[in-house]
Amino acid sequence: MSADVLVVGGGVGGVAAALAALRRGRSVVVTEKTDWLGGQLTSQGVPPDEHSWIERFGCTRSYRRFRDAVRDYYRTWYPLTSTARAQVELNPGQGRVSGLCHEPRVAATVIESMVAPYLSAGRLRIFLRHRPTGVDVDGDAVSAVRLVGPGEGSLVVDASYVLDATEEGDLLPLAGAEHVTGFESSSDTGEPNAPATAQPANMQAFSWVFAVEHRDGEDHTIDKPEQYGFWQSYRPSFWPDRQLSLTAPDPRTLEPMTRTFVPHAHAGPVVADQSLDPGDKDLWLFRRIVAREQFEPGFAASDVTLVNWPMIDYLPGPLIGVSDDERAEHLRGGRQLALSMLYWLQTEAPRPDGGTGWPGLRLRPDVMGSEDGLAKAPYIRESRRIQAEYTVVEQDLSLAVRGDHGAVQYLDSVGVGMYRIDLHPSTGGDNYIDVASSPFQIPLGALLPVRLRNLLPASKNIGTTHITNGCYRLHPVEWNIGEAAGALASHCLTNQVAPAQVRADDARLAGFQNELVADGFELAWPEVKGY
């Protein structure tokens, strides 16, 4: 089949890319490996990680529309208390990681609603449970993408523009696109935190997230996981304790920090501002997505919280650049680590009363949309990245480097973002790299491959480094990246120009940027300081 724009990968960036092209009248095909659109927000079980100003500025209008729709969904269909219903900045889970902690399945429903009109109009076709297996390339252009779906049925799509919105940059090797993986060297990038030698197999850990509630007086202890013996004693060389514990490095100081985990413990007012408090000291509240106090008495028997902690970061090896057998082994290991963490919490975790274990912890498959309560897919923090016309490096936005000057201002800005450079421990044996950053822009040059003309990145696969990926990978930024890519593809079709020509010509660039602003993009920050 044919379309103006093919979006491979229906995650955060893929959804935003499709919506941008559809708003501009284009025909779009979206393919997605799982059976949910939304990626980090849904199938990976990670509600938004956002900057401190997100309620006022610092994202696109369509991302804000998504956030508002999530809140409206709760107000429309859930029995909120009158106090909760009156909260303009409703936080359904009262979690500390974000001002909008919500259930993954609610985000999936909202996203379905956002794309529904275009399905009705016949301009959008979505193929779930489809993965790319090959890319046909003619010179420096992609001509078609081959995919396989349920029952090994095949699908071939040709499109004027192909957007790679996969979680791991799956199209880049299939298309022969110049790309990098892992850690670049300091001699290549000049980055203060880069190693002397490139480490292409050294990537951030992935995590397999799960949702739990707690039922007092009940026993929901799972069967002992097959690999529990291994994970029970596993301790990375740089870790202060066994990984199955409540003690892990403080991401910012690397000092040992023991967290608390007490279901339904009352810990005072919730602070969801990472410039003031990372929020990760109380693990029950950290990523809580259902707070029973937000609903009418008796509605929810328990809070629901997501386990997405340092303790389930999978470190033995990467998913990219390995054989299929190794990849399968690591994916299985990630699931076993998650289940081992749950079993440890149910049987061995320390309690305030001096006892051990919380057998009342119960998985919530319904919340995750899965059979077992684990997320549909692993949470991927790092992708293959294109070799781009411009690569964002640490010294472009590091607060330690830039100081009061703020991040580098790009003349070709197509959006904004903000987050600390937050690198989780890596498969190469590195501890956290958690560096303060300045509010930054997204340069168009980082979305342009050095050679291929009609393949655009629309996720975490843009021209960043291993280090700057740590702040360009979060939800509002990925949405902005995808939305910009979808808008760029449509602009180029309308004006019969190539993406590189838009960036190379001041008048064309200004015209494209004006279109973005009219569509609700923010291209620059007001005067705010990083953290």
Side-chain angles (χ1 to χ4, degrees), residues 2-26:
S2 300
D4 294 330
V5 178
L6 167 63
V7 181
V8 181
V12 175
V15 167
L19 289 170
L22 289 162
R23 288 198 301 272
R24 290 160 173 79
R26 299 297 166 189

Side-chain angles (χ1 to χ4, degrees), residues 41-341:
L41 289 165
T42 61
S43 59
Q44 296 178 34
V46 185
D49 283 290
E50 300 170 323
H51 57 72
S52 300
W53 307 284
I54 194 69
E55 303 292 351
R56 292 174 287 158
F57 49 79
C59 67
T60 70
R61 183 165 58 211
S62 70
Y63 181 75
R64 194 168 302 286
R65 184 184 179 199
F66 162 78
R67 298 178 87 255
D68 291 343
V70 169
R71 286 172 169 152
D72 288 344
Y73 186 91
Y74 279 95
R75 292 190 182 101
T76 300
W77 300 110
Y78 280 64
L80 298 170
T81 65
S82 57
T83 300
R85 190 174 301 280
Q87 294 168 356
V88 175
E89 298 175 5
L90 173 64
N91 188 349
Q94 287 286 288
R96 287 184 167 174
V97 71
S98 165
L100 184 59
C101 292
H102 56 73
E103 299 159 79
R105 61 184 176 86
V106 170
T109 302
V110 167
I111 289 170
E112 285 183 6
S113 300
M114 294 178 77
V115 302
Y118 303 104
L119 290 168
S120 296
R123 290 198 290 108
L124 171 64
R125 286 166 290 180
I126 299 173
F127 294 89
L128 301 175
R129 297 186 294 277
H130 278 72
R131 58 182 175 82
T133 57
V135 175
D136 298 333
V137 180
D138 183 6
D140 291 338
V142 171
S143 56
V145 176
R146 286 171 276 121
L147 305 106
V148 66
E152 299 302 302
S154 62
L155 175 68
V156 180
V157 184
D158 64 82
S160 298
Y161 279 87
V162 175
L163 276 53
D164 184 347
T166 62
E167 299 298 328
E168 299 171 54
D170 294 342
L171 294 189
L172 303 185
L174 294 175
E178 292 79 1
H179 66 279
V180 297
T181 63
F183 228 144
E184 296 88 345
S185 70
S186 56
S187 59
D188 287 337
T189 66
E191 293 175 303
N193 281 292
T197 305
Q199 301 170 4
N202 189 2
M203 304 174 206
Q204 285 193 74
F206 73 89
S207 301
W208 218 301
V209 179
F210 59 94
V212 290
E213 65 177 7
H214 185 264
R215 296 297 185 100
D216 293 325
E218 299 180 12
D219 189 345
H220 296 282
T221 305
I222 63 172
D223 294 337
K224 182 186 290 187
E226 184 180 338
Q227 295 182 7
Y228 186 71
F230 172 81
W231 291 113
Q232 186 184 32
S233 59
Y234 183 76
R235 180 178 178 178
S237 60
F238 53 86
W239 214 260
D241 198 346
R242 294 176 305 162
Q243 200 163 341
L244 294 189
S245 73
L246 297 180
T247 301
D250 182 310
R252 301 184 183 186
T253 68
L254 302 186
E255 293 297 317
M257 183 173 75
T258 300
R259 280 76 167 179
T260 61
F261 179 81
V262 180
H264 301 128
H266 183 70
V270 170
V271 177
D273 184 344
Q274 296 202 14
S275 69
L276 303 175
D277 182 355
D280 61 345
K281 294 179 178 62
D282 184 320
L283 294 176
W284 184 261
L285 296 180
F286 182 35
R287 294 184 181 272
R288 185 173 57 176
I289 55 172
V290 174
R292 57 185 181 178
E293 67 197 61
Q294 293 284 72
F295 307 101
E296 292 177 357
F299 171 71
S302 171
D303 294 348
V304 179
T305 194
L306 291 172
V307 176
N308 177 16
W309 311 337
M311 300 78 167
I312 65 164
D313 286 356
Y314 182 85
L315 299 172
L319 297 177
I320 294 171
V322 297
S323 69
D324 290 345
D325 287 345
E326 288 177 285
R327 178 182 171 85
E329 177 186 342
H330 292 322
L331 287 171
R332 182 168 179 270
R335 293 178 65 86
Q336 281 287 305
L337 171 56
L339 291 170
S340 294
M341 186 73 227

Side-chain angles (χ1 to χ4, degrees), residues 417-497:
M418 171 60 198
Y419 208 74
R420 289 175 66 88
I421 297 175
D422 175 16
L423 294 172
H424 279 237
S426 69
T427 58
D430 291 309
N431 208 331
Y432 282 97
I433 299 175
D434 195 309
V435 179
S437 64
S438 303
F440 53 83
Q441 297 172 329
I442 303 168
L444 178 60
L447 274 65
L448 303 182
V450 292
R451 180 178 58 85
L452 290 173
R453 299 191 306 271
N454 68 335
L455 176 68
L456 297 173
S459 184
K460 298 180 285 288
N461 51 353
I462 67 169
T464 57
T465 64
H466 171 81
I467 291 176
T468 55
N469 165 73
C471 57
Y472 274 75
R473 67 181 175 84
L474 282 306
H475 304 67
V477 188
E478 184 184 337
W479 186 289
N480 195 146
I481 289 166
E483 194 171 354
L488 178 63
S490 180
H491 176 88
C492 290
L493 286 169
T494 299
N495 295 280
Q496 297 185 2
V497 294

Side-chain angles (χ1 to χ4, degrees), residues 377-392:
Y379 174 32
I380 303 297
R381 296 183 176 89
E382 185 169 343
S383 171
R384 300 174 182 90
R385 303 179 298 281
I386 63 166
Q387 289 187 15
E389 288 195 5
Y390 184 86
T391 300
V392 180

